[in-house]
Structure formats: structure tokens, C-alpha cells
Amino acid sequence: MLRYLNQSSHGRGAWLLLALTAFGLELTALWFQHVMLLKPCVMCIYERCALFGVMGAGIVGAIAPKTPLRYVALLIWIGSAIKGLSLAWEHTMIQLHPNPFVTCDFAARFPTWLPLDKWLPSVFVATGDCAERSWTLFNLSMPQWLVGIFALYLLVAVLVLIAQILRPAKRDLFGR
């Protein structure tokens, strides 16, 4: 399996698949917001940003997968997955254990050099409440699903990183 992951990380297809899955999740979020008219909260917006990080990692890895640039993509992927998992977990805890003293912000706080809420308000402006469970599937809310999604992204990223470091030896049919 490690050999397969190592070989896959040297090709564009795996990196584009990573970017495509994150892009699909972003489109799903926009569907929920603009078609189903669900209001995204601040935590939802931050989780979207983490998904954009995973998508960006896939694009960076696809640019030059046989060069050391794939290590940069791996770092972006792992960092985005960790941040997304942390945000989704915190959001899940806000929903499962509502507390008037533990709430999310009223508006997303982006750095002054990257005002995403000003540049693209239809994607990055929060209007919902973090504690509200406005959608569920199999009795799991969106942040609960995102915990699983980001955990899976992180697991695969760590396995790909291990495959890069260990570089499994090739074996022939007789184990030599």
C-alpha cells in the first residue's frame, strides 16, 4: 500500500482527485447556502477555508508532482486537514453542548491582507448561528460529517507522507 501511495503521489491524477473532492465539498456547501437557503455560521466559513486549503494542496501537488513541490503540497494538505478537523470538532461541541457563554463570533475575522468576506461575500459572509443544527443526514449534523471528512483527509495525508519517507523497497516474486 505504501508503494502504491508513493507512486500515486508522483502523478497528477491523485493530486487532482484530492483537489476535486475538496471542490465537490465546496460546491455542496454553496448548494446548501444558495439553493437550500441554509445560513452558514462563522465556523462553517472557517471550515470552508480549510477545505479550500485542501483543494489548494491538490492543485500545488498537481503542478509538479515529481519535484519537491509535492512536499509543500503535503504540508499544506496536512495543515489544512488538522485545522479543519479542529474547527469541525469545536463546531460539533458547540452544537452538542450549547452554552450561552461559549458561542462563535458574529463575523469571520480574516487578515487585513486577505479580506475574503469583502472580496467574495456570497461565499465568505456568515449569517447563521453556530449552535443551530439546520441540516442532518443519518442524525449527524454538517460539522459532525466534517469531522469524519477531515479525519479521513488527515489519515490519507499522513499515509502519503509516510510513503514518501519510507520509500518501500521493491520486491520480486521470490521476495529478493
Side-chain angles (χ1 to χ4, degrees):
M1 178 180 79
L2 289 179
R3 184 180 311 139
Y4 175 76
L5 289 173
N6 189 327
Q7 290 171 347
S8 295
S9 72
H10 286 80
R12 284 189 170 83
W15 291 105
L16 290 174
L17 179 62
L18 175 67
L20 187 64
T21 61
F23 182 67
L25 290 168
E26 292 291 351
L27 288 178
T28 302
L30 291 173
W31 172 270
F32 282 129
Q33 179 180 354
H34 296 290
V35 176
M36 293 180 65
L37 301 177
L38 300 178
K39 297 176 182 177
C41 67
V42 171
M43 296 298 286
C44 296
I45 299 300
Y46 291 154
E47 291 156 1
R48 281 185 192 178
C49 291
L51 275 174
F52 275 116
V54 171
M55 185 170 58
I59 293 168
V60 168
I63 290 172
K66 294 181 193 246
T67 68
L69 190 60
R70 80 176 175 279
Y71 294 110
V72 173
L74 264 170
L75 290 176
I76 295 170
W77 182 6
I78 290 171
S80 296
I82 289 171
K83 187 62 178 174
L85 181 59
S86 169
L87 288 165
W89 181 260
E90 182 182 348
H91 192 179
T92 298
M93 291 300 107
I94 289 173
Q95 285 186 347
L96 293 179
H97 310 289
N99 182 341
F101 302 108
V102 179
T103 61
C104 57
D105 295 333
F106 292 111
R109 286 185 270 156
F110 293 108
T112 55
W113 55 271
L114 190 68
L116 295 174
D117 54 338
K118 306 275 187 292
W119 292 345
L120 203 56
S122 63
V123 176
F124 295 107
V125 169
T127 56
D129 178 16
C130 292
E132 181 184 345
R133 290 180 61 156
S134 55
W135 177 89
T136 61
L137 179 64
F138 305 120
N139 207 27
L140 296 174
S141 66
M142 271 190 235
Q144 289 172 310
W145 279 101
L146 284 174
V147 166
I149 290 167
F150 281 118
L152 188 60
Y153 274 140
L154 183 59
L155 174 67
V156 174
V158 168
L159 288 174
V160 170
L161 179 63
I162 291 169
Q164 301 302 307
I165 294 169
L166 293 183
R167 296 182 192 226
K170 292 183 180 180
R171 302 178 122 199
D172 63 7
L173 183 61
F174 301 106
R176 291 184 259 164

